[in-house]
Amino acid sequence: MAEGSMQNQMFQPEIITFGETMALMMPDNAKGIEYASHFQGLFGGAESNVAIGVSRLGHRVGWFSRLGKDPLGTMILKKIRGEGVDVSRVVQTAEAPTGLMLREVVSGKTSVYYYRKGSAASTMRPEHLDEDYIKQAQYLHVTGITPALSETCLETAKEAVRLAKKNGVKVLFDPNLRLKLWTLEAARPVLLELAEQADYFLPGLDELKLLYETESFDEIVAKLSALQGVSIIKGGDNVTYIVENGKVSSVPYFEAKQVVDTVGAGDGFCAGFIVGLLKGQSLSEAVRLGNLIGCMVVQMEGDWEGIPTWEQVEAFLNNVQHVER
């Protein structure tokens, strides 16, 4: 194995995902960063959020990336491994540092500041991929964040999708458009190309309006209907839409009793949807499960901390009353 490789958990993941996970610093007591003297030390990344969610919901999942051989990278690796995720293909390298992000919530508006240029994850290259690892999974989860990190990350994402399709592994693609990482003009052709190759395309409605340059829902549906796979549109008017074979259906949201932190809701949805597929559920059932996980995530602070276990999901669905003491 390459320098710094970590071998653990000798099981075959049902789903594999990959991408950058960064250390996350947030001010205590909802202060702005410039006025804060105490920060919470956390971590987050769309792909590892999904991986943790799938694991908590009772399924085997692997996540890989490159982390710095530094305290932040070691912290991230230990915590993701502690959530039951296979990290046997993660590499810690001394060549570059672990990425960092700062997040603040001021007057109800969330702002994220990235310190990830030249990070360890941005050095991922196609030759780092392990085809044997990818081909034994049922699904490969890819986001549009990874291609935005560097030219080599873009090529790595494309190669991972190629290897998955070559070996009959179904591809789930969440565009996760991040305009702080690249321009819309640069992102559009890359994300649309990946969408064309996906078996399951998982965009938000606002993302689709930008990618397809239209406010018309009918035009968006027509574009999605031309794709080879199924499209799941998040962020509708209290519903998630399913576009399959040119037909549109919808699955209503669950009502959140309180909204504490919306960051990570989309990743929670993806984890729930993937687990629904792994359990053999219909598309509408899998979307309903995704909606539920997303609803539960927004009711707790953090990127992934609010993702429930499968036991908690069953308790919610069966209306099991909580016994406090």
Side-chain angles (χ1 to χ4, degrees), residues 5 25 30 41 45 87 91 93 96 121 134 151 190-191 209 212 223 226 229 232 243 251 274 294 300 322:
S5 293
M25 302 297 175
V87 293
V91 171
T93 174
I134 291 173
E151 189 62 33
V190 174
L191 300 184
K209 291 177 180 179
Y212 289 131
K223 295 281 190 181
I232 310 296
V243 181
V251 180
I274 291 166
M300 183 179 292
H322 173 65

Side-chain angles (χ1 to χ4, degrees), residues 3-4 6 20-23 63 65-78 90-100 118-123:
E3 177 191 18
M6 302 293 292
E20 181 165 40
T21 293
M22 294 169 287
W63 167 81
S65 185
R66 291 173 76 81
L67 295 166
K69 188 175 284 186
D70 50 40
L72 295 179
T74 300
M75 175 270 290
I76 290 168
L77 185 62
K78 285 180 176 179
V90 174
V91 171
Q92 283 189 274
T93 174
E95 296 175 0
T98 301
L100 172 67
S119 68
S122 73
T123 68

Side-chain angles (χ1 to χ4, degrees), residues 3-289:
E3 177 191 18
S5 293
M6 302 293 292
Q7 295 289 347
N8 73 333
Q9 299 191 28
M10 301 302 293
F11 61 39
Q12 289 190 337
E14 297 164 276
I15 176 165
I16 290 169
T17 187
F18 68 100
E20 181 165 40
T21 293
M22 294 169 287
L24 166 63
M25 302 297 175
M26 291 179 58
D28 280 338
N29 303 318
K31 289 183 178 179
I33 291 170
E34 64 181 297
Y35 303 111
S37 56
H38 294 87
F39 289 77
Q40 302 176 58
L42 307 167
F43 70 91
E47 300 85 4
S48 60
N49 294 346
V50 170
I52 290 170
V54 171
S55 178
R56 285 190 178 180
L57 293 168
H59 285 266
R60 303 187 307 278
V61 56
W63 167 81
F64 66 86
S65 185
R66 291 173 76 81
L67 295 166
K69 188 175 284 186
D70 50 40
L72 295 179
T74 300
M75 175 270 290
I76 290 168
L77 185 62
K78 285 180 176 179
K79 289 191 174 182
I80 295 177
R81 182 169 56 210
E83 287 290 334
V85 175
D86 177 44
V87 293
S88 62
R89 299 312 190 270
V90 174
V91 171
Q92 283 189 274
T93 174
E95 296 175 0
T98 301
L100 172 67
M101 60 177 163
L102 303 181
R103 188 161 74 224
E104 65 182 3
V105 181
V106 178
S107 301
K109 294 183 178 180
T110 299
S111 297
V112 179
Y113 304 91
Y114 294 119
Y115 300 85
R116 65 198 306 179
K117 187 175 182 180
S119 68
S122 73
T123 68
M124 282 191 290
R125 300 190 299 271
E127 54 264 35
H128 294 150
L129 296 171
D130 183 342
E131 181 174 358
D132 288 336
Y133 187 64
I134 291 173
K135 74 180 184 181
Q136 50 80 53
Q138 296 178 46
Y139 297 96
L140 175 72
H141 170 261
V142 183
T143 80
I145 298 172
T146 303
L149 299 180
S150 67
E151 189 62 33
T152 60
C153 280
L154 168 58
E155 295 306 316
T156 302
K158 289 182 177 180
E159 178 64 6
V161 170
R162 188 190 73 81
L163 291 175
K165 297 183 76 66
K166 170 188 172 184
N167 289 286
V169 177
K170 293 188 179 301
V171 175
L172 300 110
F173 175 57
D174 186 337
N176 258 310
L177 180 60
R178 296 289 188 269
L179 294 179
K180 285 191 174 183
L181 297 180
W182 53 357
T183 66
L184 179 58
E185 290 69 29
R188 183 180 286 118
V190 174
L191 300 184
L192 292 180
E193 179 185 344
L194 290 169
E196 290 174 357
Q197 298 178 66
D199 296 281
Y200 298 93
F201 182 35
L202 304 167
L205 183 56
D206 288 343
E207 291 174 318
L208 291 172
K209 291 177 180 179
L210 293 172
L211 292 174
Y212 289 131
E213 301 180 87
T214 180
E215 293 288 321
S216 169
F217 185 73
D218 289 341
E219 288 184 29
I220 288 171
V221 169
K223 295 281 190 181
L224 295 176
S225 298
L227 300 179
Q228 67 167 353
V230 174
S231 294
I232 310 296
I233 307 175
K234 301 168 287 183
D237 187 11
N238 294 318
V239 298
T240 299
Y241 295 103
I242 302 171
V243 181
E244 183 183 21
N245 298 324
K247 297 180 180 179
V248 181
S249 58
S250 62
V251 180
Y253 293 161
F254 287 82
E255 183 179 355
K257 293 182 180 179
Q258 59 176 350
V259 177
V260 175
D261 185 356
T262 59
V263 174
D267 302 329
F269 172 87
C270 287
F273 176 71
I274 291 166
V275 167
L277 296 179
L278 290 171
K279 291 185 179 298
Q281 294 181 350
S282 67
L283 276 175
S284 60
E285 289 172 333
V287 168
R288 181 172 183 266
L289 180 57

